[in-house]
Amino acid sequence: QTETGMSSMAMTSVAPTLPSEEKAALAHNGAMLYPMFVVALRTVLGMSTIEPHEVLRAAGSAVEFPPDARAIFVSHEWCGRMHPDPHLRQFHTLQRALVGAIAGRWR
């Protein structure tokens, strides 16, 4: 399955209806040319710094999205010119929100 939850076969059957830029991301066998990398929730909750993608990959923390996994996509606004969250305010808020969701405080 892909990050959308669709099987590679399903993605191939939908590909003809996709905009051209999305078609370009599909290989001829339905595999993504640009795979999504993810960091495990346990790892995110234990992080005390934000590392670049390359560092997370080298450490084995960022891995290619497993076909049987679920993902939460998080986007944020950069708070500094040289670092996305120089004081980790947004990141700590994210961590607290994730802990709250796990504890069932969100519905």
Side-chain angles (χ1 to χ4, degrees), residues 8-69:
S8 294
M9 179 68 100
M11 285 298 287
T12 302
S13 65
V14 172
T17 66
L18 295 174
S20 60
E21 63 274 4
E22 291 181 31
K23 286 180 193 173
L26 294 174
H28 96 2
N29 67 355
M32 297 299 291
L33 292 176
Y34 304 103
M36 179 170 75
F37 284 82
V38 295
V39 177
L41 179 58
R42 180 177 313 163
T43 302
V44 171
L45 293 178
M47 291 169 66
S48 59
T49 62
I50 299 174
E51 297 292 344
H53 173 80
E54 298 79 10
V55 172
L56 292 171
R57 283 202 53 204
S61 296
V63 298
E64 192 169 333
F65 184 67
D68 60 341

